[in-house]
Amino acid sequence: VGSEMCIRDRPEVGRRLTKDETLGVIESVKTASDLFAPVAGEVVAVNEALGDAPELVNSEPYEGGWMVRLKLEDPAAGDVLMDAAAYREVTAG
């Protein structure tokens, strides 16, 4: 991998995840952290491009850096998630 980061143990398409269930691990030189599902749902896509280019998570978080796509178990669960603008505001400076 052309990066000091990797993403492993990603779920298979079709797997059902519960809210806060581990859906993978992100590793860097210094640490490894579990990734958690923000909502319950079925995995409908996994971003295979991250296998060769995990740095997309940082360089293109709103385009090519997505990790998994979920079909929500309860569509209303998405209402509690932040959109990109709210996330930028929370993480700014």
Side-chain angles (χ1 to χ4, degrees):
V1 175
S3 172
E4 295 179 1
M5 175 175 59
C6 73
I7 300 168
R8 62 178 176 80
D9 302 332
R10 289 172 288 167
E12 298 287 325
V13 171
R15 179 174 163 193
R16 293 204 170 272
L17 296 170
T18 58
K19 183 181 183 312
D20 299 325
E21 181 178 352
T22 302
L23 62 85
V25 176
I26 192 162
E27 293 181 344
S28 68
V29 174
K30 296 181 182 181
T31 189
S33 299
D34 288 338
L35 301 168
F36 299 97
V39 293
E42 178 184 353
V43 177
V44 295
V46 176
N47 188 351
E48 299 298 335
L50 297 179
D52 293 327
E55 65 275 6
L56 291 173
V57 171
N58 293 325
S59 65
E60 295 184 23
Y62 303 107
E63 295 89 29
W66 62 274
M67 295 179 188
V68 298
R69 296 190 195 274
L70 298 175
K71 178 180 178 185
L72 301 183
E73 187 173 288
D74 174 9
D79 295 342
V80 300
L81 300 176
M82 285 186 238
D83 62 14
Y87 184 76
R88 283 185 193 108
E89 186 175 317
V90 168
T91 59

